Amino acid sequence: MFRFWYRFVLDNNSMIARGAADLAYRRIKPHLSDYMGKVFEEICKQYLWKQLLAGKSPIEFSSLGRWWGNDPIQKSQAEIDIMGQQDKDTALFAACKWTNEKVDFRVLETLIRRSRLFSYMNVHFYLFSKSGFTKDCMDKADALGNTTLVSYENIINSD
């Protein structure tokens, strides 16, 4: 709530107070998707913690965080939305996508490629999506066997 207030409401407070909420919304709307991307990542972390505490996580991580650094193979900067380590051999990697399109298999392939920047022998992948997944992505996840696909709808309906 505070993050939203300081990001959007404070700058548009005069407009809102004078009854021009529609005008304020038109100014805010183009930035909502980007804003929600970071919020969605936090929601995904909370989901993973909830799974861990319920004994439903395939990786018993001790912390979760974002990683970014150099990818020497691609010769570029790379980032991983969420990463959690259980021990020196075991970790989870997650990508969080707040888009109106279904997440396709390329997102999973990118996550797998970036996970190889580390030397974990046992990994589990999570893909989180606002809008679901393509059939190709679901098929690839099934074939891998170490991948969990989670849609936003499943997050908000989880116990």
Side-chain angles (χ1 to χ4, degrees):
M1 180 181 82
F2 289 117
R3 185 180 300 154
F4 184 85
W5 174 270
Y6 286 109
R7 173 66 176 90
F8 296 115
V9 177
L10 188 62
D11 288 345
N12 295 288
N13 199 25
S14 294
M15 253 189 272
I16 295 167
R18 286 175 176 72
D22 289 342
L23 178 59
Y25 179 70
R26 283 196 304 271
R27 290 180 62 184
I28 293 169
K29 185 178 178 182
H31 307 284
L32 276 176
S33 187
D34 183 52
Y35 169 80
M36 281 304 299
K38 299 295 181 202
V39 172
F40 187 52
E41 286 180 23
E42 186 57 36
I43 291 169
C44 296
K45 284 182 195 174
Q46 291 174 15
Y47 173 86
L48 289 169
W49 278 109
K50 188 175 180 181
Q51 294 298 301
L52 177 71
L53 296 174
K56 297 178 183 177
S57 178
I59 303 295
E60 294 179 355
F61 53 87
S62 56
S63 65
L64 293 173
R66 169 182 286 277
W67 176 89
W68 68 271
N70 290 320
D71 181 338
I73 297 166
Q74 299 291 319
K75 295 183 176 22
S76 64
Q77 291 288 315
E79 71 178 298
I80 298 171
D81 295 333
I82 302 173
M83 184 177 162
Q85 178 180 318
Q86 176 174 318
D87 54 44
K88 67 181 181 73
D89 292 322
T90 308
L92 72 80
F93 298 90
C96 310
K97 300 300 177 189
W98 185 260
T99 65
N100 292 328
E101 294 81 35
K102 291 183 177 188
V103 170
D104 70 12
F105 71 95
R106 288 177 293 219
V107 173
L108 180 54
E109 288 176 340
T110 298
L111 185 62
I112 292 168
R113 186 178 68 247
R114 290 178 180 167
S115 75
R116 292 182 181 140
L117 296 171
F118 303 89
S119 59
Y120 297 109
M121 299 301 295
N122 305 308
V123 296
H124 193 87
F125 302 105
Y126 278 88
L127 289 186
F128 293 94
S129 172
K130 169 189 173 187
S131 304
F133 305 91
T134 64
K135 182 175 181 338
D136 288 344
C137 185
M138 291 186 283
D139 290 345
K140 182 148 181 91
D142 285 342
L144 287 169
N146 65 339
T147 304
T148 302
L149 306 179
V150 184
S151 67
Y152 177 65
E153 182 178 308
N154 290 342
I155 293 172
I156 60 172
N157 291 325
S158 68
D159 294 323

